Every structure is written in C-alpha cells, then in structure tokens.
Amino acid sequence: MSKIKELEDFATQVRRDILRQVHKVNSGHPGGSLGCTEFFTALYQGGIMEHKPEFNMDGKDEDLFFLSNGHISPVFYSVLARSGYFPVDELNTFRLIDSRLQGHPTTHEGLPGIRVASGSLGQGMSVALGAAQAKKLNKDNHLVFSLHGDGELQEGQNWEAIMYAAGNKVDNIISTVDVNGQQIDGSTETVLPMGNLKAKFEAFGWDVMEIENGNDMQQVIDGLTEAKSRTGKGKPVCVLMTTMMGNGVDFMMHTHAWHGKAPNDEQLENALSQNPETLGDY
C-alpha cells in the first residue's frame, strides 16, 4: 500500500471521528474540521512535522503546532489521539462536562498535544510567533506551524502579528490559512470580503505559496514540504490552502450551514456511509 493511500485511509477514519464526536453531543463544528482533515493528517502522520507523542509543554527539540481557529477541535483531537497523544476512546468524552476535550482546546485540562487555548479567534499567530522566537533564542532549529481560518483573518490582531513577523525576520514559522470561503454567517465574500490574501501577505513581507486543493493528500504533502524548504531565508512563510468546508460529506459541502451544526441520526448514517471505517471506530 502506498504511503499516500495509507494517509488517505487515516483521513477517512478521522472524518468518521469528527462526525461521531459532534453527533453524540449534538454540538460542535464539523464543517471546517472535515475541510482540514488532510492538512492535520499530513502534519502528524505524513512526516511534515517532527513531533513527540511523549508530550511536554517546553517543546524543545521538536516542531510545534498551534491551532488558531480552535473551533475545529474535533479534527485536532482525532488526529492527536490516533497519533498516540492520548487514548482514542477518550474521543467519547468530547464536549462533556469535566472532559479534557472541550469544544475549544484549552490547556488547564492538561490534554497532551494542546499548547494554547484557542477559543477566541485571531490570537494564534501571536502565540506561534512567540514560540518561534523562543526557538531562535534557544538555538533550536525546529519549526513552528500554525493554522488559521480565512474568516478569522478579519480579526485585526492577525495583521499586527503578520507585520511583526516580517519586521523581525521570523523565518522559522509556517502559517497556513484554510481558505474555504465560508464562515459562521455566510461566505467570506458576503460577510466581509478578504480581498487578495496573497497580495496582502506579500505586501507585509511574507513568502507566500499556495496549495490549490487542500483536500488532495499529495498536494498537501508536496505543498508543506515546499514550505519547509523556504524557511530560514529571512521571511516568514505563508501557505494559502484552498479547501472545501464539509469535505467528504456531500450534503455538508458548498455551504456554510455546517460550520457549527451537528448531524441528526439519519444524517450521521448517511455521512458515515460516505466514509467507510478504515482504522476502527472508537
């Protein structure tokens, strides 16, 4: 079996995990989670990131990842669990009282793999930059990765951080933007047009590249590998990754409606039939 096929099978199981998590508690954000399944799989299973399931908050001598758009926690939790950070059956506790798997990732529960609370949008870039600069000060040559939503970039703090990163030549960071064109109230074009993101990041001094189809595993692997090759050259690296919200479930695609809505029993059965079990359900 080819490596790409193994990664695709992993991603299919992650989609099942996402759907089952939000269905059980009738709460959560399946749309963006499904759209970023290939990205998370590539990071943690595809050799893109050097990471240690034996988790410690210092993060020394390993690559770090920060999720800024924390509402897509279902995909993050699934990939962390299936990458050995905590037991897979703990996914059963998603969004329950006293669970370590809160709706938005937090740190006080001590869940392995979670380095920052990311309930409030727009803050992840700042945190990731702090970690990247700390690595430079510590002579640690590993990288910092972060993920952001395109609608999230409507938050002004992002642009202060984006300006700061280039001005301080923070060139050990790769910030990916999930460009799915959707947010909770509609399309980004309807709510607040983002304009030309590539031109904006370049004007702020970043090295910008694009992944045309962020739901194609090979393209994601190739794109992130290319991004890594661009680090260490005096500029922070931005990856604009076009995805489909709700990818892998036909009735969740091409709409913002599933940004933060759980499927009912019949819809879950339909969605799971489109994503056959590959690694075993929890």
Side-chain angles (χ1 to χ4, degrees):
M1 183 183 293
S2 71
K3 181 62 175 177
I4 291 298
K5 179 61 166 60
E6 290 180 7
L7 293 174
E8 289 172 344
D9 286 349
F10 186 95
T12 297
Q13 186 65 51
V14 169
R15 284 196 291 271
R16 289 181 66 88
D17 292 348
I18 293 165
L19 294 161
R20 295 179 67 236
Q21 284 176 83
V22 299
H23 168 265
K24 179 178 178 180
V25 291
N26 193 32
S27 180
H29 296 77
S33 295
L34 291 166
C36 287
T37 300
E38 286 77 15
F39 172 80
F40 277 90
T41 299
L43 273 190
Y44 283 89
Q45 292 286 318
I48 296 299
M49 201 169 69
E50 294 183 31
H51 62 102
K52 301 173 183 177
E54 301 78 22
F55 182 74
N56 72 81
M57 286 295 282
D58 288 338
K60 294 179 180 178
D61 301 317
E62 63 177 316
D63 296 335
L64 305 182
F65 172 72
F66 294 93
L67 174 64
S68 187
N69 49 330
H71 55 278
I72 66 168
S73 62
V75 62
F76 195 15
Y77 293 152
S78 171
V79 171
L80 285 175
R82 293 190 179 274
S83 298
Y85 281 79
F86 56 87
V88 174
D89 62 5
E90 193 170 350
L91 297 176
N92 271 309
T93 71
F94 176 65
R95 278 185 176 250
L96 297 180
I97 291 177
D98 296 327
S99 169
R100 298 196 297 177
L101 279 62
Q102 292 298 303
H104 294 77
T106 58
T107 53
H108 65 271
E109 284 89 355
L111 185 66
I114 304 301
R115 297 189 180 278
V116 63
S118 50
S120 298
L121 294 176
Q123 299 178 0
M125 179 78 73
S126 300
V127 176
L129 286 171
Q133 287 195 301
K135 282 198 173 292
K136 283 180 171 287
L137 289 170
N138 291 332
K139 304 294 191 295
D140 183 340
N141 293 323
H142 286 81
L143 300 174
V144 174
F145 295 82
S146 62
L147 179 65
H148 314 262
D150 50 358
E152 183 189 8
L153 295 182
Q154 294 161 354
E155 299 274 2
Q157 182 174 334
N158 288 294
W159 298 99
E160 296 179 49
I162 290 164
M163 178 170 57
Y164 178 92
N168 288 274
K169 295 182 171 56
V170 186
D171 58 0
N172 57 337
I173 189 169
I174 299 173
S175 293
T176 299
V177 180
D178 175 21
V179 185
N180 61 28
Q182 305 290 340
Q183 58 190 105
I184 191 169
D185 291 324
S187 71
T188 52
E189 282 299 306
T190 300
V191 177
L192 183 62
M194 300 302 299
N196 188 330
L197 287 177
K198 186 173 190 291
K200 281 184 166 70
F201 271 91
E202 288 179 339
F204 274 69
W206 285 57
D207 182 7
V208 186
M209 56 171 291
E210 298 175 277
I211 296 177
E212 183 176 337
N213 183 357
N215 298 123
D216 180 284
M217 189 66 73
Q218 188 67 65
Q219 284 194 38
V220 176
I221 292 288
D222 292 346
L224 292 176
T225 301
E226 168 68 16
K228 289 174 65 176
S229 75
R230 298 190 184 194
T231 60
K233 298 179 180 179
K235 289 185 175 184
V237 178
C238 171
V239 178
L240 298 176
M241 178 180 70
T242 301
T243 71
M244 176 66 68
M245 180 177 277
N247 184 64
V249 179
D250 55 11
F251 62 85
M252 292 186 176
M253 299 165 67
H254 307 288
T255 175
H256 74 282
W258 294 91
H259 171 93
K261 183 174 70 172
N264 60 31
D265 292 350
E266 182 180 352
Q267 290 165 334
L268 175 67
E269 184 177 354
N270 182 356
L272 292 178
S273 72
Q274 299 175 46
N275 293 277
E277 192 174 348
T278 56
L279 301 179
D281 288 334
Y282 58 86

